Amino acid sequence: MDFGLNLDPSQTDSFLQKMVGKLVDSILPVLKERLAGDELMTREELAAWLHVSPKSADANFIFKSGFPYYMVGTQKRYWKRAVIAWMDENQKIK
């Protein structure tokens, strides 16, 4: 594969390995958060994760139409993965 860098085959292989390594290092935290982030959170934990107060979480997320929750007895809990999906679907773009 020629990238216009005039590298011999071993240099090209080394270059590709380094680039793939850097790419994996940069996207792995995002993938872990999105794919493995299946954590069940309380209202307070959700607010802390969102870096907002519980009142702000209520007003801007929890009481919005369609916001996902799961009932544990009489208490609402929030799956991180479902919240991320809801946020992706409900983001506002100007």
Side-chain angles (χ1 to χ4, degrees), residues 6-60:
N6 299 323
L7 301 174
D8 67 39
S10 66
Q11 290 174 318
T12 300
D13 187 50
S14 175
F15 171 78
L16 290 173
Q17 286 181 7
K18 286 179 185 176
M19 292 307 295
V20 168
K22 288 181 184 221
L23 179 64
V24 168
D25 289 345
S26 66
I27 65 171
L28 195 56
V30 174
L31 289 176
K32 283 183 180 180
E33 178 74 19
R34 295 231 171 202
L35 298 177
D38 205 12
E39 179 182 337
L40 192 59
M41 300 177 287
T42 64
R43 172 182 172 257
E44 292 76 17
E45 291 168 335
L46 173 66
W49 176 66
L50 293 169
H51 302 286
V52 298
S53 70
K55 282 186 175 184
S56 183
D58 290 343
N60 295 297

